Amino acid sequence: MTITGPTTGDLREQRDRARREYDELLTRGLSFNLTRGKPSTAQLDLSQELLELPGAEGHTAADGSDCRNYGGLHGLPELREIFAELLQVPAGQLLAAGNSSLELMHDCLVHAMLGRLPGGQARWTDEERVAFLCPVPGYDRHFALCERFGIEMISVPMTDEGPDMDAVERLVAEDPAIKGIWCVPKYSNPTGVSYSDRVVERLAAMPAAAPDFRIFWDNAYAVHHLTDEEVEVADVLAACAEHGHPDRAFVFGSTSKITFAGAGVGFFGSSPANVDWLLAHSSKRSIGPDKVNQLRHVRFLRDAEGVRAHMRRQRALLQPKFEAVQRILDKELGGTGLARWTEPEGGYFITLDILGGGAADVVRLAAQAGIALTPAGAPYPYGKDPRDETIRIAPSYPSPQDLEEAVTGLAICARLVGYERALAR
Amino acid sequence: MTITGPTTGDLREQRDRARREYDELLTRGLSFNLTRGKPSTAQLDLSQELLELPGAEGHTAADGSDCRNYGGLHGLPELREIFAELLQVPAGQLLAAGNSSLELMHDCLVHAMLGRLPGGQARWTDEERVAFLCPVPGYDRHFALCERFGIEMISVPMTDEGPDMDAVERLVAEDPAIKGIWCVPKYSNPTGVSYSDRVVERLAAMPAAAPDFRIFWDNAYAVHHLTDEEVEVADVLAACAEHGHPDRAFVFGSTSKITFAGAGVGFFGSSPANVDWLLAHSSKRSIGPDKVNQLRHVRFLRDAEGVRAHMRRQRALLQPKFEAVQRILDKELGGTGLARWTEPEGGYFITLDILGGGAADVVRLAAQAGIALTPAGAPYPYGKDPRDETIRIAPSYPSPQDLEEAVTGLAICARLVGYERALAR
């Protein structure tokens, strides 16, 4: 079968049309922000009750302790109970901490740099080389942590069921400097991919040259469904234990995109040995987390079913925005051959791939038109997208109308860049 | 003048009386805790309003931003404004963070270990030796941080106006491995000493062999007065700047002993260069602190005068407890020559010195009688009190009646140990 491509004349016509549309865009003085996965005001309003909780007489935990006072380094048992089920971590092995899971990931790296991990032979600062596998595209803040601590980043490609496990297995088996891998197992940032059971199995089972190899399992979107297909990812702690690697996985989660993005609760779950290790280090740092905020969350969310019900209300606000992005991209870019994009079933992002490159140009043009996007390259180590293809769209924060205008504008930029490049070839 | 000491007969009689009282104590099944500087329930109740704040519609900061969402790494400007005055740090150089200042001290050490300080030539992990001066007796959690990071501790004695500055100046000038000194400048933990203007001046002015020498200025009791003599300590940041060492001091503070011990706000203040340094590192760790909790504190405390008024209510609860301890120690140990103790004008602790040693025995006997005390030695590096003299009493948490019983019991133990030791000499 032969496919006839567009003629140069066709391309020029398309380019000119995109140019006119872009020029018109410039006149409109837009100011939109699609950069970060920030909840919208309407989403935050869903948790408004938190602002008055736990209430005047409500400072006592289930065990009778006073949440206002010092102590309780593990976090509030009743909150850990609620999230144990949702994060697939036994409550006894789950810690509830401060207002972000990123902090916990940072601190796990710090404690591994400055103190030996269970199974490890040296502090990472005393190793000649420390490297992490980075499935790409991935989450820029993970990569920023590696960069900050001088941890070498080795990219591995994402497939539609998780990282390319042939590459992962080979690298981890042969290189003892590889101490970890970043994973966002469900509705991955930014691709929306969820890990298949087979991938989780292989991650748990694979031999690792480093005795202190860790999976940083950032389950940021554990309950953040966008469709009725509520994806379940296999239980990584159980799988690791089953395969004789009980200390392999660090599980992270938070309520940042459940309740308040800035005033939620972060969680860490792992094997008893890893939990003891983290507690031993964090006991030097803190006398305990903000248990009043944890109690506030217990009063508001009540139980795991309460969280699920709350997330259905979140979905009702988010799903139409994701659908709008799909609709606009279909309309503006469908059939052009210039781009492809993900249709995630959950999480916070859509990735738009500019085929054949030019993502940085698209982001630059969009910025000039007042549409702020995450820098092209951000989802790659050191901010360098080797194909210059990936653009991350975060649809949550803008109002539906703003989102529509912003994505339309972005698509115009993609067309303009795409046709310019096609003509230049 | 000749002073006639007690005869052996007198001593034996006193010892026997103390023994009888101690035996009686053992029969009473006491269970008291004087270990930590924990606020009492009545103190926490003073901030009960916080449990309903900021209130249903109250999530908007003065600058119009939404405290519920991500961002605002510096902390809420209006809260930093309130504490700027109280902590003697310009608001623009003061950060409001999570629920504890200990975390901030820990993180400053971490960032100095793993990233070069302004003025420094190397990360501390790359230095052959890193040491801190530890005025003793001091705060055990400071020393635990040093121990955790392998920072050598060099004790310097406390005088009644701060650390022995002759020793400090000599050591800091000659040893480039000395990177810092721990200071609790006001109502020091555990001695209650406040630093004189002359001591602050000398700390600010002294030459340091290490170009990245830092004063860790833990101003934990900045507004925690117990008498009408409200001690003012000189402004360390201003003094350091004046003497050409603008980056020398890190100032820490928190509301842990103002509002809720477990759910307050910690502060960091320093020079612009140090603040930028900390922000650059903490921006990798966090997208921002819990601004809702900060707003809650603004709504509750209102302004610096609001904090002062609140602290007068705290004082009304604490002062009688401190007075009771003095009264009991006077009655039980006064004139015995066995002990001396501090009469602090603020802060959270009284130190009881067992003259000639035996503090560990006293703590052990007290524990057997159900009276828990901080381990003897805790206020010294590595938990080793070279004279075995210092016992830290934390009077805040027990009820007035429990406190009275507990301190009476402690005094009985001190008498028993003291007379036993005198007889053994």
Side-chain angles (χ1 to χ4, degrees):
Chain A
M1 189 172 79
T2 309
I3 296 176
T4 313
T7 64
T8 305
D10 290 343
L11 286 174
R12 196 168 290 135
E13 193 179 315
Q14 296 293 354
R15 191 267 320 266
D16 292 346
R17 190 186 130 221
R19 161 72 57 198
R20 282 193 304 277
E21 290 178 357
Y22 182 69
D23 287 343
E24 194 272 331
L25 208 61
L26 288 178
T27 65
R28 285 168 53 201
L30 304 181
S31 177
F32 298 130
N33 193 321
L34 300 178
T35 57
R36 308 271 1 151
K38 270 175 84 162
S40 66
T41 302
Q43 287 180 266
L44 297 168
D45 285 346
L46 293 176
S47 305
Q48 200 67 344
E49 269 182 63
L50 281 175
L51 296 175
E52 299 179 286
L53 286 171
E57 297 304 323
H59 56 266
T60 311
D63 66 2
S65 65
D66 189 332
C67 290
R68 302 169 301 179
N69 222 325
Y70 287 120
L73 198 59
H74 291 72
L76 209 63
E78 49 266 51
L79 184 65
R80 292 156 57 211
E81 204 61 63
I82 294 175
F83 280 88
E85 183 187 333
L86 303 169
L87 292 171
Q88 299 167 297
V89 179
Q93 293 164 230
L94 186 67
L95 305 179
N99 75 325
S100 108
S101 54
L102 184 66
E103 293 180 353
L104 291 165
M105 296 175 222
H106 174 279
D107 290 359
C108 282
L109 289 176
V110 161
H111 298 316
M113 297 294 289
L114 298 174
R116 218 156 37 81
L117 273 167
Q121 281 150 354
R123 312 183 313 161
W124 290 0
T125 42
D126 296 330
E127 304 267 9
E128 221 160 285
R129 212 181 119 235
V130 174
F132 261 56
L133 296 187
C134 301
V136 291
Y139 179 33
D140 54 352
R141 291 190 188 272
H142 291 163
F143 304 155
L145 286 178
C146 280
E147 206 170 342
R148 186 257 173 279
F149 294 118
I151 296 172
E152 182 186 328
M153 290 181 266
I154 299 171
S155 294
V156 291
M158 279 292 274
T159 73
D160 60 8
E161 54 165 339
D164 173 345
M165 284 307 300
D166 291 342
V168 169
E169 282 172 348
R170 183 177 45 76
L171 288 160
V172 170
E174 74 195 15
D175 187 351
I178 297 178
K179 297 292 191 181
I181 181 171
W182 290 110
C183 296
V184 182
K186 196 188 282 191
Y187 309 134
S188 188
N189 176 353
T191 57
V193 164
S194 295
Y195 287 24
S196 70
D197 291 352
R198 183 72 194 127
V199 162
V200 177
E201 189 77 8
R202 289 175 73 179
L203 283 167
M206 64 184 176
D212 51 354
F213 175 81
R214 291 292 183 277
I215 300 170
F216 277 60
W217 193 256
D218 182 2
N219 204 352
Y221 310 106
V223 290
H224 303 59
H225 313 290
L226 286 171
T227 75
D228 289 336
E229 293 296 322
E230 303 200 343
V231 171
E232 281 304 321
V233 169
D235 176 343
V236 72
L237 287 182
C240 287
E242 203 169 292
H243 286 284
H245 305 127
D247 299 333
R248 176 168 286 184
F250 285 165
V251 175
F252 303 95
S254 85
T255 70
S256 294
K257 291 181 177 97
I258 296 175
T259 58
F260 291 159
V265 180
F267 298 93
F268 171 85
S270 195
S271 67
N274 284 335
V275 169
D276 288 349
W277 170 84
L278 182 59
L279 283 173
H281 288 307
S282 52
S283 70
K284 306 296 181 203
R285 184 178 184 270
S286 169
I287 310 177
D290 182 341
K291 298 181 303 299
V292 174
N293 198 38
Q294 297 187 355
L295 188 64
R296 194 174 280 130
H297 277 75
V298 171
R299 299 266 194 272
F300 176 59
L301 296 169
R302 293 169 194 277
D303 53 26
E305 186 41 42
V307 176
R308 289 194 195 94
H310 185 74
M311 293 313 289
R312 287 192 286 272
R313 291 187 283 273
Q314 293 277 12
R315 174 183 156 190
L317 295 169
L318 280 170
Q319 192 179 0
K321 293 187 178 179
F322 277 76
E323 288 172 351
V325 175
Q326 297 295 334
R327 200 178 62 242
I328 297 161
L329 294 178
D330 269 341
K331 173 166 163 263
E332 297 283 332
L333 293 168
T336 63
L338 297 175
R340 85 178 150 237
W341 51 93
T342 58
E343 295 184 43
E345 295 176 305
Y348 261 65
F349 302 103
I350 291 164
T351 49
L352 172 67
D353 282 339
I354 307 299
L355 300 175
D361 285 341
V362 173
V363 169
R364 189 176 43 75
L365 287 189
Q368 284 165 8
I371 303 161
L373 293 157
T374 312
Y380 292 80
Y382 313 105
K384 291 195 173 56
D385 176 356
R387 289 205 288 245
D388 188 23
E389 282 197 342
T390 308
I391 293 176
R392 186 180 82 166
I393 303 175
S396 54
Y397 189 69
S399 69
Q401 192 189 329
D402 286 1
L403 178 66
E404 208 140 321
E405 281 196 76
V407 176
T408 305
L410 166 61
I412 291 168
C413 297
R415 275 197 276 113
L416 179 53
V417 168
Y419 289 124
E420 295 268 21
R421 287 171 68 100
L423 282 165
R425 264 182 217 121
Chain B
M1 191 173 76
T2 310
I3 295 175
T4 314
T7 64
T8 305
D10 289 344
L11 286 174
R12 197 169 290 132
E13 193 178 313
Q14 295 293 353
R15 191 268 320 266
D16 292 346
R17 191 188 129 218
R19 162 74 57 199
R20 283 193 303 277
E21 290 177 358
Y22 182 71
D23 287 342
E24 194 272 331
L25 208 60
L26 288 178
T27 65
R28 288 168 53 203
L30 304 181
S31 176
F32 299 130
N33 193 321
L34 300 178
T35 56
R36 307 273 0 152
K38 270 175 84 162
S40 66
T41 302
Q43 286 180 267
L44 297 169
D45 285 346
L46 294 176
S47 305
Q48 201 66 344
E49 268 182 64
L50 281 175
L51 297 174
E52 299 179 286
L53 287 171
E57 297 304 323
H59 56 266
T60 311
D63 66 2
S65 65
D66 189 332
C67 290
R68 302 170 301 179
N69 222 326
Y70 287 120
L73 198 59
H74 292 72
L76 209 62
E78 49 265 51
L79 185 65
R80 292 156 58 210
E81 205 61 63
I82 294 175
F83 280 87
E85 183 187 335
L86 303 169
L87 293 170
Q88 300 167 295
V89 179
Q93 293 164 230
L94 186 67
L95 305 179
N99 76 325
S100 110
S101 54
L102 184 65
E103 292 179 353
L104 290 165
M105 296 175 222
H106 175 279
D107 290 358
C108 281
L109 289 176
V110 161
H111 298 317
M113 298 294 288
L114 297 174
R116 218 157 37 81
L117 273 167
Q121 281 149 355
R123 311 183 315 160
W124 290 359
T125 41
D126 296 330
E127 305 267 8
E128 220 160 286
R129 211 180 119 234
V130 173
F132 262 56
L133 296 187
C134 300
V136 290
Y139 179 33
D140 55 352
R141 291 191 188 272
H142 290 163
F143 304 155
L145 286 179
C146 279
E147 206 170 342
R148 186 257 174 277
F149 293 118
I151 295 173
E152 182 186 327
M153 289 181 267
I154 300 171
S155 294
V156 292
M158 278 293 275
T159 73
D160 60 8
E161 54 166 339
D164 174 345
M165 283 308 301
D166 291 342
V168 170
E169 283 171 348
R170 184 176 44 76
L171 288 160
V172 170
E174 73 194 15
D175 186 350
I178 297 178
K179 297 291 192 183
I181 181 171
W182 290 110
C183 297
V184 182
K186 196 188 282 191
Y187 309 134
S188 187
N189 176 352
T191 58
V193 165
S194 296
Y195 287 24
S196 70
D197 290 353
R198 182 74 193 126
V199 163
V200 177
E201 189 77 7
R202 289 175 72 179
L203 282 167
M206 65 184 177
D212 51 353
F213 175 80
R214 291 292 184 277
I215 300 170
F216 277 60
W217 194 256
D218 182 1
N219 205 353
Y221 310 106
V223 290
H224 304 59
H225 313 292
L226 285 171
T227 75
D228 288 337
E229 294 295 322
E230 302 199 345
V231 170
E232 280 304 321
V233 168
D235 176 343
V236 71
L237 286 183
C240 287
E242 203 170 294
H243 286 284
H245 304 127
D247 299 333
R248 177 168 286 184
F250 285 164
V251 174
F252 303 95
S254 84
T255 69
S256 295
K257 291 180 178 99
I258 297 175
T259 58
F260 291 159
V265 180
F267 298 94
F268 170 85
S270 195
S271 66
N274 284 335
V275 169
D276 288 349
W277 169 83
L278 182 58
L279 283 173
H281 288 308
S282 53
S283 70
K284 307 295 181 203
R285 184 178 184 271
S286 168
I287 310 178
D290 182 342
K291 297 181 304 298
V292 174
N293 199 36
Q294 298 187 354
L295 189 64
R296 193 174 279 130
H297 277 75
V298 170
R299 298 266 195 272
F300 176 60
L301 297 168
R302 293 170 192 276
D303 52 27
E305 186 42 42
V307 176
R308 289 195 195 94
H310 185 75
M311 292 314 290
R312 287 191 287 273
R313 291 187 284 273
Q314 293 277 12
R315 175 184 154 188
L317 295 169
L318 280 171
Q319 194 180 358
K321 293 188 177 179
F322 277 76
E323 288 171 351
V325 175
Q326 297 296 334
R327 199 179 63 243
I328 297 161
L329 293 179
D330 269 340
K331 173 168 164 262
E332 297 284 332
L333 293 168
T336 63
L338 297 175
R340 84 177 152 239
W341 51 93
T342 57
E343 296 184 42
E345 295 176 303
Y348 261 66
F349 302 102
I350 291 165
T351 50
L352 172 67
D353 281 340
I354 307 299
L355 299 174
D361 286 341
V362 173
V363 169
R364 190 176 43 76
L365 287 189
Q368 284 166 7
I371 303 162
L373 293 155
T374 311
Y380 292 81
Y382 313 105
K384 290 196 172 57
D385 176 355
R387 289 204 288 246
D388 188 24
E389 283 198 343
T390 308
I391 292 175
R392 187 181 83 166
I393 303 175
S396 54
Y397 189 70
S399 70
Q401 192 189 329
D402 285 1
L403 178 67
E404 208 141 320
E405 280 197 75
V407 176
T408 304
L410 166 62
I412 291 168
C413 297
R415 276 197 276 112
L416 179 53
V417 169
Y419 290 124
E420 294 270 20
R421 287 171 69 100
L423 282 165
R425 265 182 216 120

